[in-house]
Amino acid sequence: MRTAFDVTPLWRSSVGFDRLFDLLDAAQQQSEAHYPHYNIEKLGEDRYQVSLALAGFRPDEINVTAEQNVLTVEGRKTDEKREYLYQGISERHFRRQFNLADYVQVRNATFDNGLLRIELVREIPEAMKPRRIAIDGQSNVQRIDSKAA
């Protein structure tokens, strides 16, 4: 059983975390769809891979877009009329979204043997990386002499 998490106290005591709270809100309200099945793997310190099982789809029926920290994968089957005696492979339309952290970008996408693999890399700009600050040993503070009372 899931319990709701109230972020109201966090709103009162923090500034600039709007995106994080929106993600928490969306996660609570989203009813998780189970199609298509997927994996999220960590390949290295700043490398990730999302793999989706898309049996029955062709590459031209899949659309992958990355926009504003959201990766969207959509599949739309072409209307082919077939007569199945048994249909165990689902070929329904889908739309799956993944929220990406800041500076995570899609490197490439490959489709092989029914698996769509999307490689992601976190590339932090030089200006945003931590840097060491040199400390100057000289002080510009003037000393005020106090007289004994």
Side-chain angles (χ1 to χ4, degrees):
M1 184 171 124
R2 290 184 125 165
T3 58
F5 180 73
D6 184 18
V7 296
T8 307
L10 297 173
W11 275 109
R12 291 189 297 248
S13 62
S14 60
V15 177
F17 291 95
D18 300 351
R19 185 171 186 282
L20 177 64
F21 296 146
D22 290 345
L23 287 173
L24 288 171
D25 242 8
Q28 283 180 328
Q29 295 173 3
Q30 180 183 31
S31 61
E32 184 68 32
H34 298 287
Y35 181 79
H37 297 286
Y38 65 93
N39 293 334
I40 301 175
E41 300 174 67
K42 185 171 184 172
L43 302 177
E45 187 164 334
D46 290 327
R47 294 182 50 235
Y48 306 91
Q49 179 174 278
V50 176
S51 302
L52 290 98
L54 301 178
F57 282 86
R58 295 189 313 263
D60 62 326
E61 297 172 327
I62 302 167
N63 188 22
V64 179
T65 57
E67 180 181 11
Q68 297 288 325
N69 293 357
V70 176
L71 171 66
T72 304
V73 181
E74 294 179 280
R76 199 153 280 288
K77 290 297 293 176
T78 55
D79 293 329
E80 295 179 17
K81 297 294 180 192
R82 295 182 180 182
E83 183 179 336
Y84 291 101
L85 298 177
Y86 172 78
Q87 184 178 7
I89 300 173
S90 179
E91 295 181 342
R92 61 182 176 223
H93 305 311
F94 69 89
R95 177 184 172 109
R96 166 110 22 216
Q97 291 187 317
F98 301 92
N99 292 305
L100 304 178
D102 291 336
Y103 311 113
V104 173
Q105 298 177 359
V106 175
R107 174 69 49 94
N108 69 3
T110 58
F111 188 76
D112 186 38
N113 293 328
L115 278 179
L116 173 65
R117 290 187 176 96
I118 304 168
E119 288 186 44
L120 306 167
V121 176
R122 181 189 340 248
E123 295 178 347
I124 300 173
E126 279 301 317
M128 300 299 292
K129 289 183 180 177
R131 57 189 167 95
R132 185 170 177 89
I133 308 298
I135 300 173
D136 188 7
Q138 297 179 9
S139 175
N140 292 336
V141 178
Q142 295 178 353
R143 179 175 281 219
I144 300 174
D145 293 327
S146 61
K147 295 182 181 182

